Amino acid sequence: MTIIRTFKVYIFVFISLNLLSYNALSNDLFNSFVTLISKEAKTKGVSLEVIKDFKSKVSFIPRVIELDRSQPEFKLTLNQYLSRVVTPTRIKKANIKFKKNKKLLHIIGKHYGVQPRFLVALWGIETDFGRLTGGFSVVSALSTLAFEGRRHEYFKKELFNALKIINDGHITLNKMTGSWAGAMGQCQFMPSSFINYAHDWDKDGSKNIWTSKPDVFASAANYLNKVGWSNRITWGRKVFIGEYNKKLKKDKYYLLSKWSSNGILSENKNELPNVKIKARLITPVKYGDYGYLVYNNFESLLNWNRSNYFAIAVGKLSDAIHEN
């Protein structure tokens, strides 16, 4: 039986015990797992210095498994979610942050073709403008999740990416902190997103999404740009669907004029604007006679986070930011 299979057999027992103990056997298995990861990291070009640091500091975090196991099925209505995430306080704070960073945001927004208000909205929704970035050791969280085995391959790849980021000198292992799932910095990038999209805007030699606002904004803008964002359109709009005749498929894109001719009205029950923009319809649960017509930029937000609620919240917060 391979060591990985042994891990999986043990984890089955471990889960059955409801995480009541983390004993010597589990500690030995985790240490063996770390040894295997270290050997593979060496073949991927990670330096002996980084590997030594990793082996001496990585630890199994039972709380990470508990959080992963206890993710409830999403039960909030959209209105409940928005009332918690897009609060008057956050809207006020977003406008203050936008004004304070306006010059930098406009330069970066123009460079990447992304409206600055969306960068601030993402920043606000993800980490409350950098205030809540997570206090877990990223390498320990990812090692724990890879060892646990439910999504072994995914988290193992993210762990190697994290070690590569450290190896490339962007941050030290001690300072690489983030969420229990390994999302990092003020824009909450997984290590793979960091490697693909993070940008050293301030040109200090590191892509610092933890403390450098220029790098945070540029990395977020680069991400959106690379996944198809267009600054010629916005994200979508709330609409009245009371008279919708349901002849059009909600998941298909149609011109606004076609939605209009099928009974969709603007939020205030007026005709939709006569512009050549395609949209698809989202009808949240328990949302009454209202829904959202979303544009292609909405898909870019979903690429960032696969949640309609998240993407709508980013859109709503962005709409509340005064760019002038």
Side-chain angles (χ1 to χ4, degrees):
M1 182 180 288
T2 67
I3 189 69
I4 293 299
R5 287 180 180 175
T6 302
F7 291 156
K8 290 181 177 179
V9 170
Y10 169 71
I11 288 301
F12 176 78
V13 177
F14 187 59
I15 293 168
S16 299
L17 293 174
N18 294 315
L19 304 174
L20 289 177
S21 65
Y22 183 68
N23 56 28
L25 172 60
S26 57
N27 189 60
D28 288 344
L29 282 168
F30 183 72
N31 288 339
S32 297
F33 173 76
V34 169
T35 298
L36 287 175
I37 288 293
S38 299
K39 289 179 179 179
E40 191 170 346
K42 183 179 178 181
T43 67
K44 294 179 180 295
V46 178
S47 72
L48 292 177
E49 182 181 359
V50 170
I51 291 172
K52 182 179 179 181
D53 197 32
F54 165 67
K55 291 180 71 175
S56 67
K57 294 175 181 176
V58 69
S59 62
F60 181 87
I61 309 175
R63 179 60 177 157
V64 165
I65 303 300
E66 291 173 5
L67 289 168
D68 183 49
R69 294 290 179 199
S70 65
Q71 293 182 80
E73 184 177 350
F74 206 78
K75 294 182 179 180
L76 295 177
T77 66
L78 177 58
N79 279 333
Q80 289 171 331
Y81 176 80
L82 291 175
S83 70
R84 296 184 184 191
V85 176
V86 189
T87 63
T89 298
R90 180 161 286 168
I91 290 172
K92 181 178 179 180
K93 194 172 181 180
N95 279 283
I96 292 172
K97 293 291 185 181
F98 181 90
K99 186 176 181 180
K100 186 175 181 179
N101 298 282
K102 186 174 181 178
K103 183 177 180 180
L104 175 63
L105 285 163
H106 276 291
I107 292 171
I108 291 174
K110 183 177 181 180
H111 179 82
Y112 287 104
V114 177
Q115 302 94 313
R117 61 191 174 95
F118 286 98
L119 303 179
V120 175
L122 280 164
W123 187 32
I125 299 296
E126 283 288 15
T127 61
D128 195 31
F129 312 99
R131 187 176 68 87
L132 303 170
T133 58
F136 288 92
S137 161
V138 167
V139 295
S140 289
L142 293 173
S143 295
T144 297
L145 290 164
F147 171 71
E148 180 267 352
R150 187 171 67 87
R151 298 178 65 192
H152 170 75
E153 290 299 329
Y154 171 75
F155 284 112
K156 187 175 78 166
K157 289 178 181 177
E158 291 295 354
L159 177 56
F160 286 136
N161 285 332
L163 292 174
K164 182 180 187 302
I165 292 165
I166 295 168
N167 194 71
D168 290 346
H170 298 293
I171 195 167
T172 64
L173 187 148
N174 286 341
K175 292 182 179 180
M176 183 184 268
T177 57
S179 75
W180 64 264
M184 314 179 300
Q186 295 189 35
C187 48
Q188 290 291 277
F189 276 2
M190 291 298 289
S192 57
S193 292
F194 181 101
I195 288 173
N196 290 327
Y197 306 113
H199 186 80
D200 178 19
W201 185 267
D202 59 18
K203 302 188 187 306
D204 66 352
S206 68
K207 299 173 182 179
N208 181 2
I209 62 171
W210 290 268
T211 60
S212 168
K213 284 191 289 187
D215 288 6
V216 171
F217 297 154
S219 298
N222 187 40
Y223 186 109
L224 292 177
N225 174 273
K226 291 290 175 56
V227 297
W229 190 272
S230 171
N231 62 2
R232 296 191 299 272
I233 60 175
T234 184
W235 66 279
R237 61 172 58 240
K238 187 176 181 180
V239 292
F240 178 74
I241 60 175
E243 302 300 324
Y244 174 46
N245 61 25
K246 299 183 179 180
K247 288 183 178 180
L248 303 182
K249 294 181 179 180
K250 291 193 296 184
D251 60 346
K252 293 291 183 72
Y253 273 84
Y254 304 98
L255 288 171
L256 288 186
S257 58
K258 197 158 188 175
W259 286 112
S260 185
S261 65
N262 278 266
I264 301 293
L265 299 173
S266 67
E267 181 179 2
N268 58 12
K269 301 182 182 180
N270 291 326
E271 291 290 323
L272 293 172
N274 186 21
V275 291
K276 290 185 178 180
I277 296 178
K278 288 187 175 182
R280 65 180 178 88
L281 181 64
I282 293 175
T283 54
V285 176
K286 296 182 181 179
Y287 210 57
D289 289 331
Y290 291 88
Y292 289 88
L293 283 177
V294 297
Y295 312 144
N296 192 61
N297 281 343
F298 192 83
E299 309 304 330
S300 296
L301 295 176
L302 289 180
N303 194 290
W304 184 295
N305 184 318
R306 287 288 170 189
S307 163
N308 282 339
Y309 282 18
F310 171 86
I312 291 170
V314 172
K316 287 283 193 182
L317 184 55
S318 74
D319 286 347
I321 296 171
H322 309 297
E323 290 191 291
N324 295 328

